[in-house]
Amino acid sequence: MSDKISNSTTSDGKPLPEKAARSRVAMATLAGTTLEWYDFFLYGTAAALIFNKQFFPSLSPTAGTLAAFSTFAVGFIARPVGGLVFGHFGDRIGRKATLVVSLVMMGVGSTLIGLIPNYDSIGFWAPVLLVAMRVVQGIGLGGEGAGATLMSMEHAPAGQKNRYAGFPQMGTPAGLVLANGIFLTTNAVMSDSAFASWGWRIPFLLSFVLVAIGLVIRLRVTESPSFAGIMEKGEIVRFPLRESLKVGFPRLSLTLAACLANSAVAYAFMVFTLSYGTQHLGYDKQFLVLSVTAAAVLWFLSIPFWTKIADKYGRRHMFVGGSAAILLWCIVFFPLLNTENKVIAVIAFLGMGLIVPVTHCVQGSIIADTFPAKVRYSGSSLILQSGAILGGGLAPMIATALLDATGSSVGVTWYLASICTISLVGAIALFKIVPDSSRGLEHEEIRVSENA
């Protein structure tokens, strides 16, 4: 893959220096993913704290929360659809165009959620419309996840693949911080009753403005050099998803297994704890949202450090060690939270913010390295979105059901520990059959192509 960027220009049409062009791409993918995750996490926060009363008022608090989390899970079910559709066209017409469309879809879906009347106004149609917009959100994010990572990574100079692939990953905690910050600010400037009635809509309606800003940034970048090279050589694949499966079931399944824990644990602590902490432990929602936000800030700030380590020393030991650390911390997380001591609870959240990024920051590049460039968007989307639904999408709903069935968080802890064990074993096995080529995509592409 060439490191040369031939088409990047300044606003007046003059060529950009390579470093400036790469920085623009990195910032564009970070901005885009931040806005998309803002929309996605905003829904998760509202599902935990608001939607049970607004859209499912006839249900008990637990049943209403389960119903709200089930609509949250719908977005994850839609993500593989978006991943496959956008992946197909991303491998056939380019990364840039698909990323623009995905951003628009997410913005439209979130804005319309802010306009949906509640159950008291239109009855059954309120949750139906909520689910429909959640599907739109999921399809949009499904196209964003793999595409943004590829766009940034395929512009990276030699020896900095993980660093550049980490910029879109930073959009996940950044989006969470933005969503929770606006959610808290809106809640703080009005009464609780006003916020619960209509104020919660304001952060969703702001999506329109934020996405417009993101589009301005994203439209100014150029196509991925890898895809441009594929176009020049006439190597466009007619059915890229089918071609990507030639990597083989062992590697595909192990890559998927290795990435499950990060998603499951992250969504358990970012979303499930908001309802669990308020309904069962007596924490106030502002404290919990602030604690999750503080953890996300630490998550965001630590990603550049971990990606630098990965570029310098390789990903193998860092990812396996991070997988073991997630397993250990998810075992102690809920017992710490259950002390109902705010200082200890903050420590529990900050621990998550420190440990989760160890594997999350290189997850995208590990998945991308599985596939040659000509089918990388489709293959990466398949793994990433399958892992998201199996790990993260169902986690809040399963955790709520286990809590209701057992009456304690022990079942939730065992559930998360089981997924973490699967990921740890998967990561160890994956790196035994796959050399750690994290310092260069070129060698990985050659190896995979030869094996295919």
Side-chain angles (χ1 to χ4, degrees):
M1 181 181 73
S2 173
D3 285 318
K4 185 179 179 181
I5 301 175
S6 58
N7 297 328
S8 299
T9 59
T10 62
S11 57
D12 59 1
K14 295 180 180 179
L16 273 172
E18 281 192 2
K19 184 176 181 180
R22 289 172 177 143
S23 297
R24 172 176 288 182
V25 171
M27 291 302 103
T29 56
L30 172 56
T33 52
T34 296
L35 296 176
E36 296 227 22
W37 282 110
Y38 162 81
D39 290 330
F40 212 74
F41 284 133
L42 185 61
Y43 190 100
T45 302
L49 301 175
I50 299 293
F51 286 169
N52 60 335
K53 298 177 182 178
Q54 287 290 313
F55 295 95
F56 309 98
S58 61
L59 302 178
S60 68
T62 297
T65 301
L66 272 171
F69 280 155
S70 68
T71 66
F72 180 75
V74 165
F76 284 84
I77 295 172
R79 280 176 64 175
V81 177
L84 295 178
V85 172
F86 282 94
H88 176 83
F89 288 104
D91 282 329
R92 288 188 57 79
I93 66 174
R95 317 318 194 197
K96 178 180 176 179
T98 52
L99 289 174
V100 168
V101 174
S102 71
L103 187 60
V104 171
M105 287 188 67
M106 181 62 95
V108 168
S110 295
T111 302
L112 291 179
I113 286 174
L115 298 174
I116 298 173
N118 62 17
Y119 186 90
D120 291 338
S121 299
I122 61 174
F124 169 77
W125 288 106
V128 169
L129 291 173
L130 184 67
V131 169
M133 292 305 100
R134 184 60 175 166
V135 169
V136 173
Q137 276 192 327
I139 291 174
L141 189 60
E144 176 76 16
T149 299
L150 302 186
M151 189 69 162
S152 185
M153 187 172 67
E154 291 175 349
H155 277 89
Q160 297 185 49
K161 305 297 181 183
N162 293 298
R163 178 190 174 209
Y164 274 74
F167 280 104
Q169 305 298 84
M170 292 171 70
T172 304
L176 179 60
V177 171
L178 184 61
N180 285 353
I182 293 179
F183 194 89
L184 283 171
T185 301
T186 307
N187 192 15
V189 299
M190 58 180 62
S191 66
D192 288 342
S193 60
F195 180 78
S197 176
W198 59 270
W200 64 268
R201 299 177 183 276
I202 295 174
F204 285 95
L205 297 175
L206 283 175
S207 296
F208 180 80
V209 177
L210 296 174
V211 168
I213 296 172
L215 279 175
V216 171
I217 298 173
R218 183 159 282 184
L219 286 169
R220 297 181 66 193
V221 303
T222 56
E223 185 54 83
S224 152
S226 292
F227 184 78
I230 293 168
M231 290 274 293
E232 290 176 7
K233 297 175 183 177
E235 296 180 347
I236 300 296
V237 178
R238 186 174 182 182
F239 298 110
L241 179 61
R242 183 176 64 188
E243 186 73 17
S244 71
L245 297 178
K246 293 182 179 180
V247 168
F249 179 78
R251 183 167 181 181
L252 292 174
S253 59
L254 289 175
T255 304
L256 174 60
C259 297
L260 286 178
N262 189 273
S263 184
V265 173
Y267 281 102
F269 102 81
M270 292 185 298
V271 176
F272 168 72
T273 53
L274 297 181
S275 62
Y276 173 63
T278 54
Q279 295 178 16
H280 296 271
L281 299 179
Y283 294 113
D284 61 87
K285 66 185 178 194
Q286 287 83 2
F287 167 75
L288 289 173
V289 174
L290 281 172
S291 297
V292 172
T293 303
V297 171
L298 185 58
W299 180 354
F300 176 87
L301 294 175
S302 62
I303 284 179
F305 170 78
W306 292 117
T307 53
K308 185 175 181 180
I309 294 295
D311 279 327
K312 187 172 183 179
Y313 300 107
R315 295 179 304 226
R316 180 197 303 262
H317 298 300
M318 190 183 89
F319 192 87
V320 172
S323 297
I326 290 177
L327 169 60
L328 294 175
W329 197 253
C330 82
I331 291 174
V332 304
F333 177 73
F334 282 103
L336 292 176
L337 211 61
N338 292 343
T339 63
E340 300 185 34
N341 181 303
K342 287 188 174 182
V343 174
I344 295 176
V346 169
I347 293 173
F349 280 109
L350 292 180
M352 283 293 188
L354 182 64
I355 293 171
V356 167
V358 179
T359 53
H360 174 255
C361 69
V362 293
Q363 176 177 289
S365 59
I366 287 174
I367 294 172
D369 277 356
T370 303
F371 307 95
K374 61 184 179 181
V375 298
R376 186 176 290 146
Y377 203 148
S378 296
S380 296
S381 293
L382 175 66
I383 296 295
L384 186 63
Q385 303 312 331
S386 297
I389 186 173
L390 293 174
L394 299 177
M397 188 168 63
I398 292 175
T400 301
L402 287 171
L403 178 65
D404 185 55
T406 63
S408 76
S409 62
V410 174
V412 180
T413 297
W414 279 107
Y415 160 64
L416 294 177
S418 299
I419 293 181
C420 290
T421 301
I422 291 172
S423 286
L424 177 59
V425 173
I428 294 172
L430 175 66
F431 284 115
K432 280 189 175 182
I433 68 171
V434 178
D436 183 1
S437 57
S438 59
R439 298 183 185 181
L441 269 173
E442 298 84 355
H443 304 103
E444 184 66 12
E445 289 176 10
I446 293 172
R447 195 191 65 75
V448 172
S449 299
E450 290 174 347
N451 288 346

